[in-house]
């Protein structure tokens, strides 16, 4: 089956039931087929989607919101989209997002179980890659919005460190934390996409020399037995390969860090979008966040950002003896849709720390839902993180296959 045939078959099999892709029709697939046939460059043959808070020339950026239903087509590609196309990748379409990348859920299904959330806010990107429709997709993260859907949908998630990629052409939520990253079929694809956008290529990794830390998790959040087992399995694989693996004492006040992040996020969201409260109705979670953010003054925001910077610096000082850290990205597999988009606070602290994150699929639980582990590195260490991920990926248990992709 050719790449074009696979694409047409996957879209027909999954959409519109999955609800991950926006505005895909026969003409869209014809254009993608023509682009694939003409493609050249290091990403030729790869098809990607773009979270609908990132501009794609000729397509409206609706931000998952009725407030942007009449948005005009974007005049140019966002910086990262232009780089990916320049490297030969084919952009199929936009992918579904929660409203303005906050937490009001989308209709998108989890490809492994429609009763479970695909995560948020990069819901469509995670579901489309997890289902095997796309090779990779762009997502964003302001708290836990890229790594979480990757984990819930059985895909690789790579969030570069703050400032590693341009956010030009992205609708802001909270600029102090907003970052663009990739949800991909494997680490090599994520690394290739990152390199096409100007990122560093993976470094050769020797696991026998790796010093790995196991940081403490939030004491207020218990890990599911399956998640704890995944972390133990990945740690054992690293030890067997010769890595030094050591558990670390708690280094931050999780509750205070999460609260401070939320204060800044809501304040910056209100500054960017508060005027929208007078327009078309917004989702309840986003409305509440904008109203709360409007009460945060400039002095409080600056003071809170100062505390977060001190927390970040202290964490990396305390972790200075380790090359990488291994942690769970989420406390449990994808929860029921009634729980919203899932638990993000485990990832919130990592977003505050500002370094790159790599989510790796790590088998499945007894119900067949994907499990994942996460590697983290200090800011600026994307190359080392990706290099280690390429090696560790080889030791992972077999990935589950979504029901509609079997046979």
């Amino acid at each position: 089956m050719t790449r074009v045939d696979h694409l047409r078959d996957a879209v027909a099999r999954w959409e519109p039931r999955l609800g991950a892709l926006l505005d895909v029709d026969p003409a869209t697939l014809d254009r993608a087929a023509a682009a694939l046939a003409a493609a050249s460059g290091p990403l030729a043959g790869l098809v990607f989607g773009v979270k609908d808070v990132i501009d794609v020339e000729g397509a409206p950026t609706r931000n998952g919101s009725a407030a942007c239903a009449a948005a005009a087509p974007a005049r140019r590609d966002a910086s990262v989209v232009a780089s990916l196309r320049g490297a030969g990748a084919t952009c199929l379409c936009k992918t579904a997002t929660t409203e303005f990348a906050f937490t009001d859920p989308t209709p998108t299904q989890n490809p492994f179980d429609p009763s479970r959330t695909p995560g948020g806010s990069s819901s469509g990107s995670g579901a489309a890659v997890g289902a095997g429709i796309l090779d990779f997709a762009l997502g964003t993260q302001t708290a836990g919005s890229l790594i979480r859907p990757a984990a819930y949908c059985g895909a690789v998630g790579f969030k570069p460190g703050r400032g590693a990629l341009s956010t030009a052409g992205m609708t802001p939520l909270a600029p102090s934390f907003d970052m663009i990253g990739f949800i991909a079929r494997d680490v090599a694809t994520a690394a290739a996409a990152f390199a096409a956008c100007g990122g560093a290529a993976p470094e050769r990794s020797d696991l026998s020399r790796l010093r790995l830390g196991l940081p403490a998790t939030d004491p207020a959040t218990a890990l599911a037995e399956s998640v704890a087992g995944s972390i133990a399995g990945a740690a054992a694989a690293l030890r067997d390969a010769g890595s030094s693996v050591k558990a670390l004492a708690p280094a931050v006040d999780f509750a205070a860090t999460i609260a401070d992040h939320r204060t800044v996020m809501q304040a910056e969201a209100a500054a960017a979008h508060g005027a929208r409260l007078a327009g078309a109705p917004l989702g309840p979670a986003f409305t509440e966040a904008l109203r709360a953010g409007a009460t945060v003054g400039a002095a409080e925001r600056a003071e809170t950002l100062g505390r977060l910077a001190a927390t970040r610096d202290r964490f990396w000082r305390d972790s200075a003896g380790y090359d990488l850290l291994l942690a769970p990205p989420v406390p449990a597999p994808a929860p029921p849709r009634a729980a919203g988009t899932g638990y993000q606070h485990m990832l919130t602290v990592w977003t505050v720390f500002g370094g790159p994150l790599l989510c790796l699929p790590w088998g499945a639980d007894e119900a067949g839902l994907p499990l994942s582990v996460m590697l983290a590195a200090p800011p600026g260490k994307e190359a080392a993180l990706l290099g280690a991920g390429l090696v560790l990926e080889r030791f992972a248990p077999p990935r589950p296959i979504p029901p509609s992709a079997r046979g």
Side-chain angles (χ1 to χ4, degrees), residues 205-208 230 233-243 360-363 373 387-399:
S205 184
D206 181 355
L207 296 188
S208 69
S230 294
L238 287 159
R239 287 192 181 97
D240 289 346
S243 299
L360 295 173
W362 204 265
V373 300
L390 284 169
V391 179
L392 182 58
E393 187 177 45
R394 302 173 195 163
F395 296 94
R399 291 195 202 183

Side-chain angles (χ1 to χ4, degrees), residues 229-316:
S230 294
I231 295 297
L238 287 159
R239 287 192 181 97
D240 289 346
S243 299
S244 167
V245 182
K246 182 179 179 182
L248 308 182
V252 300
D253 183 330
F254 288 90
T257 302
I258 291 165
D260 281 347
H261 170 274
R262 191 164 189 84
T263 295
V264 173
M265 180 173 64
Q266 290 179 333
E268 295 187 354
H273 302 293
R276 297 185 186 276
L277 287 170
L282 301 171
F286 194 49
T287 296
E288 181 183 353
L290 295 182
R291 288 175 176 163
T295 68
V296 179
E300 182 182 358
R301 174 182 172 275
E303 181 181 348
T304 307
L305 277 170
R307 284 198 300 271
L308 289 172
T311 296
R312 178 195 64 220
D313 294 345
R314 183 172 63 253
F315 177 82
W316 291 119

Side-chain angles (χ1 to χ4, degrees), residues 105-192:
T106 70
T108 305
Q109 292 184 0
N110 186 307
F112 288 86
D113 183 345
S115 73
R116 306 279 179 156
T117 179
S121 60
S122 305
S123 311
S125 292
V129 175
I133 303 172
L134 302 174
D135 298 299
F136 70 95
L138 289 173
T140 66
Q141 182 154 310
T142 305
S145 298
L146 184 144
I147 297 296
R148 190 165 78 259
Y152 288 163
C153 296
V156 166
F158 174 54
K159 184 203 74 63
R162 177 152 178 77
L165 291 181
S166 170
T167 56
M170 168 189 165
T171 302
L173 176 60
S176 290
F177 308 116
D178 293 341
M179 287 166 277
I180 292 176
F182 308 92
I183 298 177
R185 64 187 186 189
D186 52 34
V187 177
T189 300

Side-chain angles (χ1 to χ4, degrees), residues 52-66:
D52 195 25
V53 295
I54 302 171
D55 288 347
V56 171
E57 182 180 358
T61 300
R62 301 192 183 103
N63 299 300
S65 177

